[in-house]
């Protein structure tokens, strides 16, 4: 089978990029021919397909790219001509590339599959947050006017107008008409898509996978600390976590960076919290830090879809304390591989952190069950059904 994968970036930038790179390797390992289409970007991995990539988006392009620019159309059509895919599998493509690719492929009779990594098809902002803080579903009905009224895109009237017009052009009916299947990594995502009017027959719930072999360990001994790993930004709930941590005697290690790094450090110092900010780390160090932690905390305050941080922690034998929001609770078996708490509630988070310390977990069993659940072989069987290569 010939499969064309597309994502706006082609390097390990975020969960969407990691997913596509892992999927590319999985498909190649199983004997399929795979092409990729992304925006030309300095940090991209090297690939023979880069000659087809449209140039990096500049300020002027930001006004035209979201609607399907002539450059994207021309280069994607040339790739379709040369590669002749059986399936086009889209990922995070809005703004820099645009859904015009779905229409171009579908018109040729190519099967179009689209894995959803955020809520862009429902919310022009993509994250369902008003003012970057308050959970909002006002645009789910199809009326995207609230995006303009609330200046949801970066607080800018112009950016919000572009987001509004983009949502009007690539509306639900138009996207459904050129997409055979939307892959939703969580039931929560599928439920929100259905709530927004999308045809449930075109929604396939399929949890993400990882390379479980990279998580294998000789032992599951733990050190006396717990951890957070992720971007240090408001929607990740790290401010709530730092406040809760300051009330407790346990040591917290924060892995990652982001716009709130200095603010959170100052807050921790002011509260005299027992928090160590270790910064951004590569996988070998992450494996050691997360793998040796008593547990990991995912304190998100937005509709997380299917966070790899939960999946990777569990595959390392580390239980997870997760916020009850988005798709996080679907990954946690209460009292077995972790616990949950009310998102944004510092008192409940404080209580549950203490509860995690009081509880005992079978770390080896957590790892074994997670690696069975999230392994690539199982995912491959299911994605082949989505591609129409194997009938259910």
């Amino acid at each position: 089978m010939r499969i064309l994968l597309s994502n706006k970036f082609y390097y390990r930038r975020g969960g969407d990029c990691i997913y596509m790179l892992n999927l590319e390797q999985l498909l190649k390992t199983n004997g399929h021919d795979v092409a990729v289409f992304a925006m030309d970007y300095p940090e991209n991995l090297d690939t023979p397909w880069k000659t087809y990539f449209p140039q990096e988006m500049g300020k002027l392009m930001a006004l035209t790219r979201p609607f399907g620019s002539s450059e994207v159309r021309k280069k994607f059509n040339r790739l379709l001509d040369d590669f002749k895919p059986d399936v086009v599998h889209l990922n995070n493509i809005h703004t820099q590339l645009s859904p015009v690719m779905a229409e171009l492929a579908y018109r040729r009779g190519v099967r179009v599959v689209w894995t959803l990594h955020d809520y862009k098809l429902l919310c022009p902002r993509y994250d369902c947050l008003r003012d970057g803080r308050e959970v909002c579903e006002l645009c789910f009905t199809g009326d995207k006017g609230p995006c303009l009224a609330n200046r949801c895109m970066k607080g800018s009237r112009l950016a919000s107008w572009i987001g509004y017009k983009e949502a009007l052009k690539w509306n639900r009916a138009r996207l459904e008409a050129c997409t055979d299947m939307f892959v939703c990594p969580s039931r929560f995502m599928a439920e929100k898509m259905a709530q927004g009017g999308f045809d449930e027959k075109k929604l396939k719930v399929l949890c993400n996978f990882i390379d479980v072999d990279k998580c294998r360990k000789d032992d599951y001994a733990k050190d006396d600390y717990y951890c957070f790993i992720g971007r240090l930004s408001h929607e990740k709930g790290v401010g709530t976590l730092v406040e809760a941590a300051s009330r407790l005697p346990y040591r917290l290690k924060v892995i990652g960076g982001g716009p709130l790094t200095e603010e959170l450090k100052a807050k921790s110092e002011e509260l005299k919290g027992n928090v160590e900010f270790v910064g951004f780390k590569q996988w070998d160090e992450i494996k050691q830090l997360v793998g040796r932690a008593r547990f990991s905390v995912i304190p998100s305050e937005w509709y997380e879809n299917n966070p790899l941080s939960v999946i990777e922690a569990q595959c390392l034998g580390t239980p997870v304390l997760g916020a009850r929001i988005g798709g996080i609770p679907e990954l946690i078996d209460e009292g077995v591989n972790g616990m949950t708490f009310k998102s944004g509630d510092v008192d409940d988070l404080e209580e549950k952190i203490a509860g995690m310390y009081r509880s005992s977990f079978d770390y080896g069993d957590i790892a074994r069950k997670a690696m069975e659940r999230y392994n690539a072989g199982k995912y491959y069987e299911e994605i082949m059904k989505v591609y129409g290569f194997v009938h259910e």
Side-chain angles (χ1 to χ4, degrees), residues 19 23 26 89 91 115 183 185 206-210 372-387:
Y19 165 83
L23 181 59
L26 176 62
H89 188 156
N91 289 277
T115 293
V183 176
L206 185 54
C207 182
N208 286 328
F209 75 100
I210 65 168
E372 288 173 6
R373 181 177 181 182
Y374 306 121
N375 74 81
K378 184 175 180 179
Y379 192 90
Y380 175 74
E381 293 177 3
E382 294 301 317
I383 202 66
M384 284 296 104
K385 295 175 185 177
V386 173
Y387 289 166

mmCIF file of all heavy atoms in Angstrom, residues 19 23 26 89 91 115 183 185 206-210 372-387:
data_model
loop_
_atom_site.group_PDB
_atom_site.id
_atom_site.type_symbol
_atom_site.label_atom_id
_atom_site.label_comp_id
_atom_site.label_asym_id
_atom_site.label_seq_id
_atom_site.Cartn_x
_atom_site.Cartn_y
_atom_site.Cartn_z
ATOM 1 N N TYR A 19 3.680 11.526 16.756
ATOM 2 C CA TYR A 19 2.758 10.499 16.260
ATOM 3 C C TYR A 19 3.031 10.194 14.792
ATOM 4 O O TYR A 19 3.128 9.025 14.389
ATOM 5 C CB TYR A 19 1.311 10.970 16.445
ATOM 6 C CG TYR A 19 0.300 10.156 15.662
ATOM 7 C CD1 TYR A 19 -0.198 8.953 16.172
ATOM 8 C CD2 TYR A 19 -0.155 10.579 14.416
ATOM 9 C CE1 TYR A 19 -1.117 8.200 15.458
ATOM 10 C CE2 TYR A 19 -1.068 9.837 13.695
ATOM 11 C CZ TYR A 19 -1.550 8.650 14.221
ATOM 12 O OH TYR A 19 -2.457 7.905 13.500
ATOM 13 N N LEU A 23 4.347 6.773 13.180
ATOM 14 C CA LEU A 23 3.498 6.063 12.219
ATOM 15 C C LEU A 23 4.249 5.811 10.921
ATOM 16 O O LEU A 23 4.130 4.724 10.331
ATOM 17 C CB LEU A 23 2.231 6.880 11.953
ATOM 18 C CG LEU A 23 1.223 6.265 10.982
ATOM 19 C CD1 LEU A 23 0.741 4.904 11.481
ATOM 20 C CD2 LEU A 23 0.030 7.206 10.774
ATOM 21 N N LEU A 26 6.430 2.876 11.532
ATOM 22 C CA LEU A 26 5.615 1.666 11.676
ATOM 23 C C LEU A 26 5.166 1.147 10.312
ATOM 24 O O LEU A 26 5.231 -0.065 10.040
ATOM 25 C CB LEU A 26 4.400 1.970 12.556
ATOM 26 C CG LEU A 26 3.379 0.844 12.739
ATOM 27 C CD1 LEU A 26 4.011 -0.364 13.425
ATOM 28 C CD2 LEU A 26 2.180 1.346 13.543
ATOM 29 N N HIS A 89 -3.178 10.402 4.653
ATOM 30 C CA HIS A 89 -3.448 10.441 6.094
ATOM 31 C C HIS A 89 -2.994 11.800 6.622
ATOM 32 O O HIS A 89 -1.796 12.063 6.762
ATOM 33 C CB HIS A 89 -2.715 9.304 6.806
ATOM 34 C CG HIS A 89 -3.076 9.154 8.244
ATOM 35 N ND1 HIS A 89 -2.932 7.949 8.934
ATOM 36 C CD2 HIS A 89 -3.578 10.028 9.153
ATOM 37 C CE1 HIS A 89 -3.327 8.126 10.186
ATOM 38 N NE2 HIS A 89 -3.708 9.386 10.342
ATOM 39 N N ASN A 91 -2.810 14.986 9.430
ATOM 40 C CA ASN A 91 -2.674 15.168 10.872
ATOM 41 C C ASN A 91 -2.936 16.634 11.204
ATOM 42 O O ASN A 91 -4.011 17.147 10.932
ATOM 43 C CB ASN A 91 -1.302 14.682 11.327
ATOM 44 C CG ASN A 91 -1.195 13.169 11.268
ATOM 45 O OD1 ASN A 91 -1.630 12.474 12.182
ATOM 46 N ND2 ASN A 91 -0.634 12.623 10.192
ATOM 47 N N THR A 115 -6.288 12.129 11.372
ATOM 48 C CA THR A 115 -6.160 11.974 12.822
ATOM 49 C C THR A 115 -6.238 13.344 13.476
ATOM 50 O O THR A 115 -5.492 14.262 13.113
ATOM 51 C CB THR A 115 -4.832 11.284 13.196
ATOM 52 O OG1 THR A 115 -4.863 9.924 12.730
ATOM 53 C CG2 THR A 115 -4.646 11.261 14.708
ATOM 54 N N VAL A 183 -9.986 9.996 12.702
ATOM 55 C CA VAL A 183 -9.476 9.172 13.793
ATOM 56 C C VAL A 183 -9.406 10.036 15.046
ATOM 57 O O VAL A 183 -8.711 11.054 15.073
ATOM 58 C CB VAL A 183 -8.089 8.588 13.461
ATOM 59 C CG1 VAL A 183 -7.537 7.824 14.663
ATOM 60 C CG2 VAL A 183 -8.170 7.680 12.238
ATOM 61 N N PRO A 185 -8.267 10.061 18.892
ATOM 62 C CA PRO A 185 -7.461 9.298 19.851
ATOM 63 C C PRO A 185 -8.115 9.090 21.212
ATOM 64 O O PRO A 185 -7.581 8.350 22.032
ATOM 65 C CB PRO A 185 -6.184 10.142 19.977
ATOM 66 C CG PRO A 185 -6.113 10.899 18.696
ATOM 67 C CD PRO A 185 -7.538 11.233 18.396
ATOM 68 N N LEU A 206 -9.421 5.601 18.294
ATOM 69 C CA LEU A 206 -8.218 4.779 18.236
ATOM 70 C C LEU A 206 -7.116 5.463 19.041
ATOM 71 O O LEU A 206 -6.542 6.469 18.620
ATOM 72 C CB LEU A 206 -7.783 4.586 16.775
ATOM 73 C CG LEU A 206 -6.596 3.653 16.514
ATOM 74 C CD1 LEU A 206 -6.821 2.289 17.142
ATOM 75 C CD2 LEU A 206 -6.367 3.514 15.011
ATOM 76 N N CYS A 207 -6.855 4.931 20.219
ATOM 77 C CA CYS A 207 -5.868 5.502 21.134
ATOM 78 C C CYS A 207 -4.477 5.512 20.504
ATOM 79 O O CYS A 207 -4.136 4.618 19.714
ATOM 80 C CB CYS A 207 -5.858 4.680 22.421
ATOM 81 S SG CYS A 207 -4.730 5.286 23.686
ATOM 82 N N ASN A 208 -3.691 6.522 20.814
ATOM 83 C CA ASN A 208 -2.333 6.627 20.286
ATOM 84 C C ASN A 208 -1.458 5.446 20.698
ATOM 85 O O ASN A 208 -1.784 4.702 21.637
ATOM 86 C CB ASN A 208 -1.680 7.921 20.761
ATOM 87 C CG ASN A 208 -2.232 9.141 20.043
ATOM 88 O OD1 ASN A 208 -2.612 9.068 18.884
ATOM 89 N ND2 ASN A 208 -2.270 10.270 20.728
ATOM 90 N N PHE A 209 -0.342 5.299 20.023
ATOM 91 C CA PHE A 209 0.630 4.249 20.350
ATOM 92 C C PHE A 209 1.999 4.895 20.504
ATOM 93 O O PHE A 209 2.211 6.039 20.100
ATOM 94 C CB PHE A 209 0.666 3.198 19.241
ATOM 95 C CG PHE A 209 1.385 3.656 17.990
ATOM 96 C CD1 PHE A 209 2.695 3.278 17.741
ATOM 97 C CD2 PHE A 209 0.750 4.483 17.069
ATOM 98 C CE1 PHE A 209 3.365 3.716 16.600
ATOM 99 C CE2 PHE A 209 1.402 4.917 15.920
ATOM 100 C CZ PHE A 209 2.710 4.529 15.684
ATOM 101 N N ILE A 210 2.912 4.151 21.082
ATOM 102 C CA ILE A 210 4.302 4.600 21.154
ATOM 103 C C ILE A 210 5.221 3.408 20.881
ATOM 104 O O ILE A 210 4.774 2.257 20.818
ATOM 105 C CB ILE A 210 4.654 5.209 22.534
ATOM 106 C CG1 ILE A 210 4.564 4.133 23.639
ATOM 107 C CG2 ILE A 210 3.770 6.393 22.859
ATOM 108 C CD1 ILE A 210 5.170 4.591 24.961
ATOM 109 N N GLU A 372 1.230 -3.529 26.623
ATOM 110 C CA GLU A 372 0.276 -4.328 25.852
ATOM 111 C C GLU A 372 -0.773 -3.429 25.191
ATOM 112 O O GLU A 372 -1.153 -3.640 24.037
ATOM 113 C CB GLU A 372 -0.430 -5.331 26.767
ATOM 114 C CG GLU A 372 0.432 -6.479 27.228
ATOM 115 C CD GLU A 372 -0.275 -7.356 28.263
ATOM 116 O OE1 GLU A 372 -1.482 -7.113 28.516
ATOM 117 O OE2 GLU A 372 0.371 -8.269 28.812
ATOM 118 N N ARG A 373 -1.219 -2.425 25.914
ATOM 119 C CA ARG A 373 -2.295 -1.544 25.431
ATOM 120 C C ARG A 373 -1.826 -0.583 24.337
ATOM 121 O O ARG A 373 -2.573 -0.311 23.392
ATOM 122 C CB ARG A 373 -2.853 -0.739 26.605
ATOM 123 C CG ARG A 373 -3.999 0.191 26.243
ATOM 124 C CD ARG A 373 -4.546 0.896 27.477
ATOM 125 N NE ARG A 373 -5.649 1.775 27.129
ATOM 126 C CZ ARG A 373 -6.305 2.552 28.003
ATOM 127 N NH1 ARG A 373 -5.957 2.529 29.287
ATOM 128 N NH2 ARG A 373 -7.295 3.324 27.596
ATOM 129 N N TYR A 374 -0.612 -0.067 24.452
ATOM 130 C CA TYR A 374 -0.158 1.004 23.568
ATOM 131 C C TYR A 374 0.895 0.559 22.558
ATOM 132 O O TYR A 374 1.555 1.398 21.961
ATOM 133 C CB TYR A 374 0.404 2.158 24.403
ATOM 134 C CG TYR A 374 -0.550 2.664 25.457
ATOM 135 C CD1 TYR A 374 -0.202 2.660 26.815
ATOM 136 C CD2 TYR A 374 -1.813 3.142 25.116
ATOM 137 C CE1 TYR A 374 -1.082 3.125 27.784
ATOM 138 C CE2 TYR A 374 -2.698 3.605 26.079
ATOM 139 C CZ TYR A 374 -2.319 3.588 27.411
ATOM 140 O OH TYR A 374 -3.201 4.045 28.368
ATOM 141 N N ASN A 375 1.052 -0.740 22.341
ATOM 142 C CA ASN A 375 2.116 -1.189 21.449
ATOM 143 C C ASN A 375 1.769 -0.964 19.982
ATOM 144 O O ASN A 375 0.596 -0.911 19.589
ATOM 145 C CB ASN A 375 2.470 -2.659 21.716
ATOM 146 C CG ASN A 375 1.410 -3.608 21.176
ATOM 147 O OD1 ASN A 375 1.381 -3.919 19.994
ATOM 148 N ND2 ASN A 375 0.529 -4.082 22.060
ATOM 149 N N ALA A 376 2.799 -0.836 19.174
ATOM 150 C CA ALA A 376 2.647 -0.494 17.764
ATOM 151 C C ALA A 376 1.950 -1.581 16.960
ATOM 152 O O ALA A 376 1.194 -1.292 16.028
ATOM 153 C CB ALA A 376 4.022 -0.200 17.163
ATOM 154 N N GLY A 377 2.194 -2.857 17.312
ATOM 155 C CA GLY A 377 1.579 -3.958 16.575
ATOM 156 C C GLY A 377 0.060 -3.908 16.637
ATOM 157 O O GLY A 377 -0.628 -4.107 15.624
ATOM 158 N N LYS A 378 -0.455 -3.635 17.814
ATOM 159 C CA LYS A 378 -1.899 -3.533 17.984
ATOM 160 C C LYS A 378 -2.447 -2.346 17.196
ATOM 161 O O LYS A 378 -3.500 -2.444 16.555
ATOM 162 C CB LYS A 378 -2.215 -3.378 19.479
ATOM 163 C CG LYS A 378 -3.695 -3.365 19.825
ATOM 164 C CD LYS A 378 -3.877 -3.326 21.334
ATOM 165 C CE LYS A 378 -5.366 -3.311 21.699
ATOM 166 N NZ LYS A 378 -5.559 -3.286 23.165
ATOM 167 N N TYR A 379 -1.732 -1.234 17.239
ATOM 168 C CA TYR A 379 -2.185 -0.045 16.506
ATOM 169 C C TYR A 379 -2.171 -0.305 15.000
ATOM 170 O O TYR A 379 -3.094 0.103 14.283
ATOM 171 C CB TYR A 379 -1.291 1.145 16.827
ATOM 172 C CG TYR A 379 -1.862 2.458 16.345
ATOM 173 C CD1 TYR A 379 -2.685 3.217 17.164
ATOM 174 C CD2 TYR A 379 -1.595 2.936 15.062
ATOM 175 C CE1 TYR A 379 -3.230 4.415 16.726
ATOM 176 C CE2 TYR A 379 -2.129 4.134 14.615
ATOM 177 C CZ TYR A 379 -2.950 4.865 15.456
ATOM 178 O OH TYR A 379 -3.500 6.042 15.008
ATOM 179 N N TYR A 380 -1.158 -0.992 14.522
ATOM 180 C CA TYR A 380 -1.032 -1.270 13.094
ATOM 181 C C TYR A 380 -2.255 -2.035 12.579
ATOM 182 O O TYR A 380 -2.795 -1.719 11.511
ATOM 183 C CB TYR A 380 0.244 -2.064 12.820
ATOM 184 C CG TYR A 380 0.387 -2.490 11.380
ATOM 185 C CD1 TYR A 380 0.726 -1.554 10.399
ATOM 186 C CD2 TYR A 380 0.143 -3.801 10.998
ATOM 187 C CE1 TYR A 380 0.835 -1.933 9.074
ATOM 188 C CE2 TYR A 380 0.247 -4.185 9.675
ATOM 189 C CZ TYR A 380 0.590 -3.246 8.703
ATOM 190 O OH TYR A 380 0.681 -3.627 7.389
ATOM 191 N N GLU A 381 -2.686 -3.031 13.341
ATOM 192 C CA GLU A 381 -3.851 -3.810 12.928
ATOM 193 C C GLU A 381 -5.085 -2.930 12.777
ATOM 194 O O GLU A 381 -5.860 -3.075 11.819
ATOM 195 C CB GLU A 381 -4.136 -4.917 13.952
ATOM 196 C CG GLU A 381 -3.076 -6.000 14.011
ATOM 197 C CD GLU A 381 -3.368 -7.021 15.096
ATOM 198 O OE1 GLU A 381 -4.434 -6.906 15.748
ATOM 199 O OE2 GLU A 381 -2.543 -7.923 15.296
ATOM 200 N N GLU A 382 -5.250 -1.988 13.701
ATOM 201 C CA GLU A 382 -6.431 -1.124 13.673
ATOM 202 C C GLU A 382 -6.341 -0.058 12.577
ATOM 203 O O GLU A 382 -7.347 0.236 11.918
ATOM 204 C CB GLU A 382 -6.623 -0.452 15.039
ATOM 205 C CG GLU A 382 -6.964 -1.415 16.161
ATOM 206 C CD GLU A 382 -8.254 -2.183 15.878
ATOM 207 O OE1 GLU A 382 -9.234 -1.560 15.414
ATOM 208 O OE2 GLU A 382 -8.264 -3.406 16.110
ATOM 209 N N ILE A 383 -5.165 0.507 12.356
ATOM 210 C CA ILE A 383 -5.057 1.558 11.329
ATOM 211 C C ILE A 383 -5.208 0.959 9.936
ATOM 212 O O ILE A 383 -5.707 1.634 9.012
ATOM 213 C CB ILE A 383 -3.730 2.354 11.474
ATOM 214 C CG1 ILE A 383 -3.878 3.740 10.807
ATOM 215 C CG2 ILE A 383 -2.554 1.602 10.892
ATOM 216 C CD1 ILE A 383 -4.866 4.658 11.458
ATOM 217 N N MET A 384 -4.843 -0.296 9.753
ATOM 218 C CA MET A 384 -5.064 -0.947 8.468
ATOM 219 C C MET A 384 -6.563 -1.071 8.171
ATOM 220 O O MET A 384 -6.994 -0.944 7.023
ATOM 221 C CB MET A 384 -4.406 -2.325 8.451
ATOM 222 C CG MET A 384 -2.891 -2.289 8.281
ATOM 223 S SD MET A 384 -2.343 -1.596 6.691
ATOM 224 C CE MET A 384 -1.786 0.024 7.205
ATOM 225 N N LYS A 385 -7.356 -1.296 9.197
ATOM 226 C CA LYS A 385 -8.811 -1.338 9.011
ATOM 227 C C LYS A 385 -9.340 0.040 8.614
ATOM 228 O O LYS A 385 -10.205 0.167 7.745
ATOM 229 C CB LYS A 385 -9.488 -1.814 10.298
ATOM 230 C CG LYS A 385 -9.167 -3.245 10.697
ATOM 231 C CD LYS A 385 -9.780 -3.578 12.042
ATOM 232 C CE LYS A 385 -9.361 -4.961 12.518
ATOM 233 N NZ LYS A 385 -9.893 -5.270 13.882
ATOM 234 N N VAL A 386 -8.797 1.069 9.256
ATOM 235 C CA VAL A 386 -9.206 2.436 8.930
ATOM 236 C C VAL A 386 -8.842 2.770 7.486
ATOM 237 O O VAL A 386 -9.619 3.417 6.775
ATOM 238 C CB VAL A 386 -8.540 3.449 9.887
ATOM 239 C CG1 VAL A 386 -8.828 4.887 9.461
ATOM 240 C CG2 VAL A 386 -9.032 3.229 11.315
ATOM 241 N N TYR A 387 -7.688 2.309 7.040
ATOM 242 C CA TYR A 387 -7.256 2.554 5.665
ATOM 243 C C TYR A 387 -8.084 1.777 4.656
ATOM 244 O O TYR A 387 -7.986 2.032 3.452
ATOM 245 C CB TYR A 387 -5.785 2.173 5.495
ATOM 246 C CG TYR A 387 -4.796 3.094 6.168
ATOM 247 C CD1 TYR A 387 -3.474 2.701 6.340
ATOM 248 C CD2 TYR A 387 -5.155 4.363 6.637
ATOM 249 C CE1 TYR A 387 -2.534 3.532 6.949
ATOM 250 C CE2 TYR A 387 -4.239 5.202 7.254
ATOM 251 C CZ TYR A 387 -2.931 4.766 7.401
ATOM 252 O OH TYR A 387 -2.015 5.589 8.011
#
